[in-house]
Amino acid sequence: MKHFRFKLQPVLEQRERVERERELDVARLEKERVELERRLTTQQGFISASKGALREALGAGVDASVRDGGARVNPSLLRLQATNAVHLNFRAHQTVLGLAGLHTKLEQARARLAEAARDRRAIELLKEKRLEAWKKERGRKERVAQDELVTSRAARADAAPTDPIGRRA
């Protein structure tokens, strides 16, 4: 008996390829998201350190002013620290915006992946139904073939000559 052959197998394989491509897209975007989150965490650490350095620069001037009776704050150091803090905040803000855009892309990629999975699953369900129908048809044909075999044996047995005692020759 012939083996089961699904006529839409190339379509199923193509849909599986599309689904794998969508999975790779999601994985690439997830990797990018993790990298941006790591970068943002690093930038937040730099911002905290910069604020601490700015506090120290201001605090050292206050301690000196109390001891010496006058304020001794280094304006160029304060300007440098403030500029650094503004720059770090700007970079962190850019990273947050990039992360927000990436989340949108990631949601869209996940939706495309879900759609590709649904498309593939629809063809798989069709294949399963056709396989079941093929198995039923194969079983029916086998039963018909067995019935014909039994019928032909019985016909041969009835047509065989018998001797006077009733035994078949």
Side-chain angles (χ1 to χ4, degrees):
M1 176 142 257
K2 291 183 180 180
H3 294 288
F4 174 70
R5 186 178 163 281
F6 183 53
K7 293 179 182 178
L8 296 176
Q9 187 64 34
V11 174
L12 178 60
E13 291 168 358
Q14 190 271 339
R15 292 203 177 166
E16 288 170 345
R17 279 191 302 273
V18 168
E19 185 178 11
R20 278 192 302 273
E21 289 172 9
R22 300 290 190 259
E23 287 171 347
L24 290 173
D25 289 343
V26 169
R28 181 184 51 79
L29 290 171
E30 280 290 339
K31 182 180 177 184
E32 192 175 336
R33 180 191 59 80
V34 167
E35 173 59 28
L36 281 176
E37 287 176 351
R38 184 201 58 76
R39 187 182 312 161
L40 184 60
T41 301
T42 302
Q43 289 170 346
Q44 287 171 338
F46 287 150
I47 290 170
S48 294
S50 174
K51 286 180 180 179
L54 188 57
R55 271 192 297 276
E56 284 180 25
L58 285 172
V62 170
D63 291 343
S65 69
V66 171
R67 276 193 317 258
D68 299 338
R72 302 206 184 226
V73 176
N74 184 347
S76 12
L77 178 61
L78 288 177
R79 190 175 340 114
L80 180 65
Q81 290 294 340
T83 303
N84 187 34
V86 168
H87 177 70
L88 289 173
N89 280 329
F90 176 74
R91 286 180 46 202
H93 184 69
Q94 283 182 322
T95 304
V96 167
L97 290 176
L99 195 56
L102 185 64
H103 278 287
T104 303
K105 288 180 186 177
L106 194 54
E107 287 174 16
Q108 292 169 350
R110 284 182 179 146
R112 286 191 301 270
L113 173 60
E115 182 181 345
R118 277 191 308 272
D119 291 348
R120 174 198 43 83
R121 187 64 187 140
I123 297 295
E124 282 180 348
L125 289 173
L126 183 61
K127 180 179 181 177
E128 290 171 9
K129 286 180 182 178
R130 290 202 178 156
L131 177 61
E132 285 303 314
W134 178 81
K135 285 180 181 179
K136 284 181 183 178
E137 180 64 18
R138 182 181 66 179
R140 187 191 66 77
K141 286 181 180 179
E142 286 176 357
R143 284 190 302 279
V144 167
Q146 286 176 348
D147 288 347
E148 287 178 9
L149 203 77
V150 169
T151 304
S152 65
R153 257 193 215 147
R156 278 194 309 260
D158 287 343
T162 57
D163 62 5
I165 302 176
R167 292 182 295 176
R168 300 209 183 262

